[in-house]
Amino acid sequence: MCMSDENAPWLIAGLGNPGPEYAMNRHNVGFMVADLLARRMGAKFKRATKGQAQVVEGRIGPPGPLNRRVILAKPMSFMNVSGGPVTALCDFYKVPTEHIVAIHDELDIDHGVLRLKLGGGDNGHNGLKSITKSLGSDYHRVRFGIGRPPGRMQVADFVLKDFSSAERKELDYFVDRAADAAEALVIEGLERAQSTYNS
């Protein structure tokens, strides 16, 4: 279990499935946001020393007390077992649970809409379910809306399909906004980030 420490690093985990066949799936939006955050830090993901993940270590925020040490992570297990890699990184880097930010797709929010929150249920999201089983539910979430499947399409089929051509037109903008929201959450705190990005 991760110990609490205000000066401890933050772990931002973008959730998704490894492999090129999943890269543009709705379920992989967490990876997309993590990749953008890594580019902003001018760094490339590398295999973690501990756990089945790719990581980037760096800092975000202005110089001074708001500058935060951050570990960006992409669990390289499959989505349904994200808890193992996240827990291993949390233990290795001594990240308290309340300094974890999971970025993930959210069915019950319209496409492109963001919601930031601390704790709560998993809403049927298997990646969150796995993390909560390992660490409890008191971690932050950046919830990236993908909407509900059309017609009678099964949820599993919907999340493992690529974003539609119409959705892709605005995807870069929404991914950029989600990256901004994750940075704001870590630097400014949840309430201020919510007031800016919870639409």
Side-chain angles (χ1 to χ4, degrees), residues 24 29 32-33 36 39-40 111-114 144-145 163 166-181 196-197 199:
M24 289 305 295
V29 74
M32 297 174 200
V33 177
L36 176 56
R39 289 197 297 274
R40 289 181 178 184
H111 172 68
V113 174
L114 293 177
F144 187 109
F163 284 100
E167 289 168 339
R168 280 201 296 272
K169 289 176 183 173
E170 293 185 304
L171 185 59
D172 286 348
Y173 168 76
F174 290 136
V175 167
D176 192 69
R177 197 161 185 274
D180 289 346
T196 304
Y197 293 99
S199 37

Side-chain angles (χ1 to χ4, degrees), residues 18-133:
E21 67 271 34
Y22 300 106
M24 289 305 295
N25 286 182
R26 293 181 179 92
H27 223 20
N28 267 44
V29 74
F31 275 17
M32 297 174 200
V33 177
D35 285 336
L36 176 56
L37 287 167
R39 289 197 297 274
R40 289 181 178 184
M41 292 166 72
K44 291 188 176 178
F45 279 97
K46 61 181 183 182
R47 182 163 288 285
T49 309
K50 197 78 172 171
Q52 195 179 357
Q54 292 183 356
V55 296
V56 164
E57 296 180 53
R59 303 191 78 88
I60 62 173
L66 294 180
N67 191 261
R68 308 280 189 235
R69 183 180 169 217
V70 169
I71 296 94
L72 289 178
K74 295 193 296 185
M76 289 288 113
S77 60
F78 281 87
M79 175 71 87
N80 294 2
V81 287
S82 298
V86 170
T87 302
L89 293 171
C90 175
D91 290 341
F92 182 73
Y93 289 103
K94 297 181 169 47
V95 178
T97 308
E98 65 270 19
H99 278 206
I100 297 170
V101 181
I103 305 173
H104 63 92
D105 56 305
E106 179 62 62
L107 286 159
D108 285 338
I109 302 175
D110 289 342
H111 172 68
V113 174
L114 293 177
R115 293 277 190 278
L116 280 63
K117 72 175 202 172
L118 172 65
D122 55 60
N123 207 23
H125 191 288
N126 288 327
L128 297 183
K129 195 175 292 183
S130 178
I131 295 171
T132 297
K133 186 177 178 184

